[in-house]
Amino acid sequence: MIKVVFFAALREQLNCAELTIAANEVSTVADIKKQLANKNEHWQQVFSNGALLSAVNHDMVNAETQVKAGDEIAFFPPVTGG
Amino acid sequence: MIKVVFFAALREQLNCAELTIAANEVSTVADIKKQLANKNEHWQQVFSNGALLSAVNHDMVNAETQVKAGDEIAFFPPVTGG
Amino acid sequence: MSTAKDYISIQAEDFDLSNEVSLLEQNNMHDGAVVTFTGRVRNKNDGLQVSALTLEHYPGMTEKSLEKILNTARQRWKIGRIRVIHRIGKLNIGEQIVFVGVSSMHRQDAFAAAEFIMDFLKVQAPFWKKELTEQGEKWLDAKQSDQHKAQHWES
Amino acid sequence: MSTAKDYISIQAEDFDLSNEVSLLEQNNMHDGAVVTFTGRVRNKNDGLQVSALTLEHYPGMTEKSLEKILNTARQRWKIGRIRVIHRIGKLNIGEQIVFVGVSSMHRQDAFAAAEFIMDFLKVQAPFWKKELTEQGEKWLDAKQSDQHKAQHWES
């Protein structure tokens, strides 16, 4: 399984903090995003936001990054700390 | 009269913190320096130091700056605070 | 390299500036320079009156991203110690949000490293601010200018 | 313009960092950023062991030169408050020598202004250090690198 987590405005928009998906169905971050967007129209719209960032195992990555079972993938809006 | 003050290593080298000179004998900072250097061989040598800085009435100036009665002229080595 | 000289803390509690600087300075007689940055909650942002904000972060990734930033700073400048504190949870106006302190032998290194760390914290560390404004709660938008500041260090 | 927001103090007494920063921050809810620089007596300089130093200055000119530097900083950046403290007299290893604190709305201004003030203080404010080293008393030589740092701001 792959663990997927959401933060901040994205978590609120999805009303979801965390979910898991089957590792054999996806090979990249882009695949995961696509699968999530396909859930329903609302998720589709939320994930159409091109500004969303993603991380794999706590490192910021781009869409082409490979994922595998046991990874933790995060999606979140641009960061605003400091 | 013109008040002339010396600081730090320069004051120690001259063994003098302050003196006055007649205003009618000098018209620029360079004139004052020349007059001071002419005192004796030791002062001559001390004032041959090209790195010495000068100030007129608390503003850093160059040698061509005009001076007049009542002014306070300072000579000192490059500053080393902070 | 990130060393024991580096201290990163993500905490709800407030911090004391003098105390943090003491930890940069104590038993450290070769670093003559200390630069600190403190960020606080302002009463205004984007023209709106702000009364408080809530800070969320991504535990685990936050620490990892800050360590990477500190490692990069250590590669670029000759630095003694670094301390980074970022608060989370609800913060009221005037409260401290973030502290970056850097000690070094020469001031230029401490200034550059502290600003570099802040600039990259702003665009890479996973923190998000939600403001409580006169118009209700609102997630902050990231600023393009912060991206530019971070990119500026590449050149 | 130098305003009541600027505070310059030449003093023999030590100072407290938290106290100084409080004075930059109190009743000041629009400045979210505070940058500080603190310089201390190091135990080594130019390879020589230092045990203490004595700081001499030119009363009157010191204040005037610092005011000019602060005015220039205010013209270049959008700054809230500035505090500058420089100690004089005898200072032991580890003791604080100088403090520059700047508050601003945006961090970039506070970082730049604090570094600018230090860079020009170093080459324009009439202070002189005499070090007590293992080889006796010795007036410090001015560093060419400090001239370069100040000139760097012209470009």
Side-chain angles (χ1 to χ4, degrees):
Chain A
M1 299 295 274
I2 287 172
K3 181 175 165 187
V4 185
V5 293
F6 308 107
F7 289 95
L10 180 64
R11 187 196 63 243
E12 290 189 355
Q13 284 158 8
L14 300 175
N15 198 21
C16 175
E18 186 177 329
L19 54 76
T20 53
I21 58 176
N24 58 357
E25 292 171 13
V26 292
S27 62
T28 66
V29 170
D31 293 342
I32 298 178
K33 210 166 166 179
K34 206 166 168 188
Q35 194 182 102
L36 295 171
N38 284 339
K39 264 184 185 279
N40 61 43
E41 214 166 304
H42 177 61
W43 283 54
Q44 179 100 51
Q45 194 221 313
V46 169
F47 277 98
S48 69
N49 176 0
L52 289 180
L53 301 175
S54 42
V56 173
N57 300 332
H58 297 162
D59 286 316
M60 206 90 85
V61 297
N62 58 32
E64 292 76 48
T65 302
Q66 300 281 321
V67 294
K68 60 180 192 308
D71 282 350
E72 175 171 312
I73 319 300
F75 293 100
F76 45 76
V79 302
T80 57
Chain B
M1 299 296 274
I2 288 172
K3 182 175 165 185
V4 185
V5 293
F6 308 107
F7 289 95
L10 180 63
R11 188 196 62 243
E12 289 188 357
Q13 284 158 8
L14 301 175
N15 198 21
C16 175
E18 186 178 328
L19 54 76
T20 54
I21 59 175
N24 58 358
E25 292 170 13
V26 292
S27 62
T28 66
V29 169
D31 293 342
I32 297 177
K33 210 167 166 178
K34 204 167 170 188
Q35 193 181 104
L36 294 171
N38 284 338
K39 262 183 186 283
N40 63 43
E41 215 165 302
H42 178 61
W43 284 54
Q44 179 100 50
Q45 195 222 314
V46 170
F47 278 98
S48 69
N49 176 359
L52 289 179
L53 301 176
S54 42
V56 173
N57 300 330
H58 297 161
D59 286 317
M60 207 90 87
V61 297
N62 57 31
E64 292 77 48
T65 303
Q66 300 281 320
V67 294
K68 60 180 191 308
D71 282 350
E72 176 172 311
I73 319 301
F75 293 99
F76 44 77
V79 303
T80 58
Chain C
M1 292 265 301
S2 179
T3 68
K5 295 174 189 174
D6 296 342
Y7 172 94
I8 293 169
S9 176
I10 314 301
Q11 60 188 49
E13 302 74 42
D14 198 8
F15 53 86
D16 176 68
L17 186 64
S18 282
N19 198 41
E20 295 310 319
V21 170
S22 296
L23 292 165
L24 291 168
E25 292 180 345
Q26 68 186 202
N27 304 319
N28 179 7
M29 292 309 169
H30 47 276
D31 285 340
V34 171
V35 170
T36 72
F37 173 83
T38 314
R40 294 187 305 149
V41 184
R42 290 195 287 149
N43 61 0
K44 265 193 187 161
N45 200 20
D46 291 336
L48 281 183
Q49 204 69 30
V50 176
S51 63
L53 57 81
T54 310
L55 259 151
E56 175 174 333
H57 80 125
Y58 179 4
M61 178 169 172
T62 314
E63 294 78 357
K64 194 174 183 182
S65 69
L66 289 172
E67 278 163 24
K68 274 198 246 175
I69 295 168
L70 269 47
N71 285 344
T72 309
R74 285 199 173 278
Q75 280 157 24
R76 287 184 73 144
W77 296 284
K78 201 175 165 189
I79 301 167
R81 302 181 189 172
I82 309 177
R83 296 180 73 78
V84 176
I85 303 175
H86 203 299
R87 293 178 68 195
I88 49 172
K90 190 174 177 194
L91 300 174
N92 294 311
I93 290 189
E95 280 201 78
Q96 303 184 113
I97 303 170
V98 59
F99 170 82
V100 173
V102 179
S103 77
S104 64
M105 289 180 67
H106 303 292
R107 71 185 182 284
Q108 202 171 19
D109 294 318
F111 270 114
E115 188 166 12
F116 175 91
I117 291 166
M118 272 309 301
D119 284 354
F120 280 84
L121 181 155
K122 278 269 178 185
V123 298
Q124 294 187 344
F127 292 101
W128 300 273
K129 283 181 189 143
K130 192 185 216 175
E131 286 182 339
L132 186 57
T133 75
E134 47 198 335
Q135 297 178 3
E137 284 198 324
K138 182 181 170 299
W139 287 98
L140 241 76
D141 287 325
K143 283 191 220 152
Q144 199 59 39
S145 61
D146 282 326
Q147 288 295 336
H148 293 153
K149 272 176 208 145
Q151 280 158 13
H152 169 259
W153 293 99
E154 314 287 336
S155 59
Chain D
M1 292 268 300
S2 177
T3 68
K5 294 175 189 172
D6 296 342
Y7 172 94
I8 294 168
S9 178
I10 314 302
Q11 62 188 49
E13 302 74 42
D14 197 10
F15 54 86
D16 176 69
L17 187 64
S18 282
N19 197 40
E20 296 309 319
V21 170
S22 296
L23 292 164
L24 291 168
E25 292 180 344
Q26 67 186 205
N27 304 317
N28 179 7
M29 291 309 171
H30 47 276
D31 285 340
V34 170
V35 171
T36 72
F37 173 83
T38 314
R40 294 186 306 149
V41 184
R42 289 194 287 149
N43 61 358
K44 264 192 186 160
N45 199 23
D46 293 335
L48 281 182
Q49 204 69 29
V50 176
S51 63
L53 58 80
T54 310
L55 260 151
E56 176 175 334
H57 80 125
Y58 181 4
M61 179 170 171
T62 313
E63 294 79 358
K64 194 174 181 182
S65 69
L66 290 171
E67 279 164 24
K68 274 197 247 175
I69 295 168
L70 269 49
N71 285 343
T72 309
R74 286 201 172 278
Q75 281 158 21
R76 287 184 74 144
W77 297 284
K78 200 175 166 189
I79 302 166
R81 301 181 190 171
I82 310 176
R83 296 179 72 78
V84 176
I85 302 175
H86 203 298
R87 293 178 68 197
I88 49 172
K90 189 172 178 196
L91 299 174
N92 294 312
I93 291 189
E95 281 201 77
Q96 303 184 110
I97 304 171
V98 59
F99 170 82
V100 172
V102 178
S103 77
S104 64
M105 290 180 66
H106 304 292
R107 72 185 180 283
Q108 202 170 19
D109 293 318
F111 269 114
E115 189 166 11
F116 175 91
I117 291 167
M118 271 310 299
D119 284 353
F120 279 86
L121 181 155
K122 278 270 180 185
V123 297
Q124 294 187 342
F127 293 101
W128 299 274
K129 282 182 191 142
K130 192 185 216 174
E131 287 182 339
L132 187 58
T133 76
E134 46 197 334
Q135 297 178 3
E137 284 198 325
K138 182 181 170 302
W139 288 98
L140 242 77
D141 287 325
K143 284 192 219 150
Q144 199 59 40
S145 61
D146 282 325
Q147 287 295 336
H148 294 153
K149 273 175 206 144
Q151 280 158 13
H152 170 260
W153 292 99
E154 315 286 336
S155 60

